[in-house]
């Protein structure tokens, strides 16, 4: 069951601030508080979905496309499509997912060979 008190739910409700990259009615992109690369952006849909599986199951294909296309736009605005980037999502215990609201990590801005 979705936990309404997870930190990203609080960011969506503006109860805690974030370092905003982009926001609209459906999505929010902001800088990770503990960056693992020169550019480390988190992207979330505003719907209450816990993880990737939940996102795909509970959202319309148009919403899924909208979210990933918005990520693509942000990647292109930062020219990461030219230099390269990594897109990650963690789900469940084996991945050590910390925040139970579906999110993607966009990592780039430098060579990522130091990261596993
Ligand atoms: P994950 O392990 O995939 O659940 O990643 C959660 C990410 O959220 C981590 O990279 C954290 O550094 C990041 N994070 C946690 N709290 C905040 C916050 N208040 N603002 C921005 N990023 C956060």
């Amino acid at each position: 069951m979705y936990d309404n008190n997870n930190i990203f739910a609080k960011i969506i409700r503006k109860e805690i601030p974030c370092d905003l990259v982009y926001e609209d009615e459906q999505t929010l992109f902001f800088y990770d508080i503990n960056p693992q690369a020169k550019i480390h952006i988190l992207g979330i849909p505003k719907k209450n979905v816990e993880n990737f599986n939940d996102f795909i199951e509970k959202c319309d294909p148009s919403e899924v496309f909208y979210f990933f296309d918005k990520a693509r736009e942000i990647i292109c605005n930062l020219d990461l499509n030219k230099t390269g980037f990594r897109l990650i999502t963690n789900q469940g215990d084996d991945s050590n997912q910390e925040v139970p609201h579906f999110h993607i990590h966009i990592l780039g801005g430098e060579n990522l060979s130091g990261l596993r």
Side-chain angles (χ1 to χ4, degrees):
M1 181 134 101
Y2 182 80
D3 168 16
N4 257 313
N5 283 321
N6 78 74
I7 197 132
F8 293 171
K10 290 180 180 174
I11 288 176
I12 291 169
R13 294 196 296 269
K14 317 275 184 224
E15 289 168 13
I16 60 168
C18 70
D19 190 359
L20 189 66
V21 175
Y22 174 84
E23 178 171 22
D24 62 25
E25 279 183 6
Q26 291 186 47
T27 67
L28 185 59
F29 290 80
F30 52 99
Y31 286 101
D32 195 293
I33 207 166
N34 182 23
Q36 301 299 307
K38 227 177 225 172
I39 296 175
H40 187 170
I41 292 170
L42 299 172
I44 59 178
K46 289 188 174 175
K47 262 205 172 168
N48 293 351
V49 282
E50 229 177 289
N51 53 40
F52 175 71
N53 202 65
D54 218 19
F55 179 54
I56 302 296
E57 271 183 13
K58 293 187 177 157
C59 294
D60 291 335
S62 62
E63 292 174 303
V64 174
F65 177 81
Y66 184 89
F67 174 73
F68 282 106
D69 197 44
K70 205 44 84 177
R72 184 196 58 78
E73 258 179 54
I74 287 160
I75 285 163
C76 289
N77 286 343
L78 293 168
D79 280 342
L80 295 178
N81 56 318
K82 295 179 184 149
T83 51
F85 61 92
R86 190 172 289 163
L87 207 60
I88 295 173
T89 188
N90 292 315
Q91 174 168 333
D93 291 344
D94 277 356
S95 76
N96 298 314
Q97 178 181 3
E98 284 172 21
V99 182
H101 181 109
F102 169 62
H103 53 281
I104 55 169
H105 298 253
I106 300 168
L107 296 153
E110 64 181 323
N111 188 280
L112 300 172
S113 59
L115 293 179
R116 276 190 70 200

